[in-house]
Structures are given as C-alpha cells and as structure tokens.
Amino acid sequence: MRLHYDVSGGEFLRAGEASSSLKKVLKQLGVSSDVIRKIAIAMYEAEINMVIHANGGVVDVDIDSEAVRIKLEDTGPGIPDIALAMTEGYSTASDEVRDLGFGAGMGLPNMKKNADFLNVMSEVGKGTTVEIKVNL
Amino acid sequence: MTLNDVKEILGARALAGEEYLSREVASACGADLMSDVLAFSKEKVLLLTGLVNPQVVRTSEMMDIRAIMFVRGKIPGQEIIDLAREKSIVIMATEHPMYIACGLLYANGLRGGEENAPSL
Ligand SMILES: Nc1ncnc2c1ncn2[C@@H]1O[C@H](COP(=O)(O)OP(=O)(O)OP(=O)(O)O)[C@@H](O)[C@H]1O
Ligand SMILES: [Mg+2]
C-alpha cells in the first residue's frame, strides 16, 4: 500500500496531520500499538523538522507485510553536518520554535531510537531527504 | 489512580473528555518541551504541561498519552479542546504551578515510572 502526503511549510499549528493520518491507517490495518507508536513518533519528529527547519515537503509511505518505509523530502536549506545534527542536544532552532515546545535537539536521535533503519541525506541549499523504516 | 482522583487532588477542571475520567493513569510526565515528552516511553501516562498549543495534543496523540493537565491556570483555546475531543484525549486545567501539581500527585502515590534515576 502506498500513501502520499503534502506537508505545508510555515503552518506549525497544523504540523503532524500526516503522521496522524498514517497512524489511523496503521490502526485500521491491525498493526500492534507498540509498533504504531514507534512509527508515529519517528514520522512526527521528521514532519515537525520539515515544517520548522525547511519549508514543508512531501512524504511517501510504502507499507507491505514486512515493514513500513517512510520517505520525507524537502527543498529547505539542507544540513551542513549530518553527524553533528544527529547529536543529542544539537539544534539550530529559533527562540520562536523553542517557545512552541520544540528545538531541544532531540528529534533526530529519537528517530534513530524508534526506527529500525534511518537514513538522512542532505545537500546544502538543495534540501533534505529522510528515510525511516520500521519492521512490522 | 484514576483521572478522577487526579482531578480531585489538583482541584482541576475537566475541559474535554469528561466521559473518560474513570481511566487509570500509571505514571506522569511534567514537561514544557514536547521534544522531551516524545522521548518518554511509559504506558498510561498523564502529561502535565505549561505549554499551550495544539502540538501538545498532537504529541500526546503520537505517544498514546490519553490525558493532559494544563498547569498554572492556563486555559487552552477552543481549537485545542476540539482537537482533543476528536482524539478522545482528556483535557484538564489546574491553578497549581508545575512543581506543586507534580508534587501533589507524587505524594499521593503517582510515580514517574522510574524510581531511581541513573547516576550522571
Ligand atoms: N529537514 C531539515 N532541514 C534542515 N535542517 C534540518 C532538518 N532536520 C533537521 N535539521 C537540522 O538538524 C538539527 C537537529 O534536528 P533535531 O530534530 O534533532 O533537533 P531540533 O529539531 O532542533 O529539536 P527537537 O527535534 O528536539 O524539537 C536541527 O536543529 C536543524 O539544524
Ligand atoms: Mg526536530
């Protein structure tokens, strides 16, 4: 099964709708709640990043009997040093984002914790692609 | 304890999900940073927060957190209440500040989930 979502940038208050929608689908498919939670957390972190660090983007989800694969692509500023960005506590978030409850630099480490496979590809000035796989 | 007990202990007001106040809570998480909440993995969690925006409900939805307590007299807007109703998440509000609200619940037997913090 394939799903596609458009995530609009700059609409912080609506961020998370794609993750919410995927969560609903997985529930209907009868996926166990522990696995759904891992997927939901990883995707939500990535979706929020797309909204606060880039200007939104597109999400493609592929679900089969073995795994859920999520690909999030944006055309934002990119990440100059991915290893550094993966470090707990590293964040370039603005004060405005922090006032909204994000920007602790925990998102990428948390995605890694919840996903069975995480791949971050980025080119400065071009954008960022995040691939998340969670085994069913 | 149940959400009804929580409501009594904190002298709180229920703003959404009044019909679910018999739900059990087994642990609590007090945080203003959703990033921290997203890294907290426990079952039957009550979230206490001073942050008021719809992402508090979204974060709770992702984490399967089914009850939120807004502290320090902060009353969420209709948008937040509607979203919580849609997700069957209980919303309550108390006048107590965070430290006192957490302390009262802890003193009444609601623990954080981890009794011994790992040493630094
Ligand atoms: N899609 C993206 N586009 C550009 N930069 C990004 C993107 N995702 C992450 N980053 C960069 O990587 C850093 C770390 O991301 P991470 O998700 O771990 O933390 P955060 O988003 O800053 O805070 P938190 O996730 O705790 O709310 C970000 O501060 C930002 O500099
Ligand atoms: Mg993040």
Side-chain angles (χ1 to χ4, degrees), chain A residues 55-94:
Chain A
N55 202 29
V58 292
V59 185
D60 287 283
V61 184
D62 193 346
I63 308 169
D64 62 26
S65 57
E66 276 160 31
V68 176
R69 293 176 184 80
I70 305 163
K71 188 175 181 183
L72 303 102
E73 289 172 283
D74 68 58
T75 52
I79 305 174
D81 185 340
I82 294 176
L84 182 63
M86 295 290 306
T87 317
E88 275 190 19
Y90 177 83
S91 176
T92 59
S94 61

Side-chain angles (χ1 to χ4, degrees), chain A residues 21-93:
Chain A
S21 164
L22 175 63
K23 194 173 190 237
K24 226 172 275 169
V25 171
L26 294 172
K27 207 168 175 180
Q28 279 161 6
L29 291 174
V31 177
S32 80
S33 58
D34 285 356
V35 174
I36 294 181
R37 187 157 60 211
K38 290 203 297 183
I39 298 166
I41 293 170
M43 168 150 169
Y44 180 63
E45 292 275 20
E47 187 181 351
I48 293 274
N49 276 357
M50 227 178 190
V51 174
I52 62 178
H53 303 301
N55 202 29
V58 292
V59 185
D60 287 283
V61 184
D62 193 346
I63 308 169
D64 62 26
S65 57
E66 276 160 31
V68 176
R69 293 176 184 80
I70 305 163
K71 188 175 181 183
L72 303 102
E73 289 172 283
D74 68 58
T75 52
I79 305 174
D81 185 340
I82 294 176
L84 182 63
M86 295 290 306
T87 317
E88 275 190 19
Y90 177 83
S91 176
T92 59

Side-chain angles (χ1 to χ4, degrees), chain A residues 12-17 19-20 23 33-34 37 40-41 44-45 48 99-104 106 110 113, chain B residues 32-36 38-43 51 53-56 58-64 79 86-87:
Chain A
F12 173 78
L13 297 183
R14 286 186 53 200
E17 284 184 357
S19 305
S20 172
K23 194 173 190 237
S33 58
D34 285 356
R37 187 157 60 211
I41 293 170
Y44 180 63
E45 292 275 20
I48 293 274
D99 285 346
L100 293 166
F102 291 86
M106 296 299 290
N110 204 21
K113 193 177 92 187
Chain B
D32 286 349
L33 265 182
M34 293 304 106
S35 312
D36 285 340
L38 285 159
F40 187 86
S41 51
K42 289 283 167 333
E43 296 288 322
L51 181 74
N53 73 48
Q55 294 307 340
V56 175
R58 285 271 178 232
T59 298
S60 301
E61 179 193 0
M62 300 308 151
M63 300 293 293
D64 297 322
E79 190 188 357
E86 191 189 313
K87 311 291 177 197

Side-chain angles (χ1 to χ4, degrees), chain B residues 13-31:
Chain B
R13 190 144 67 89
L15 302 168
E18 299 83 350
E19 63 271 45
Y20 306 121
L21 291 179
S22 58
R23 274 181 194 163
E24 280 284 333
V25 279
S27 61
C29 170

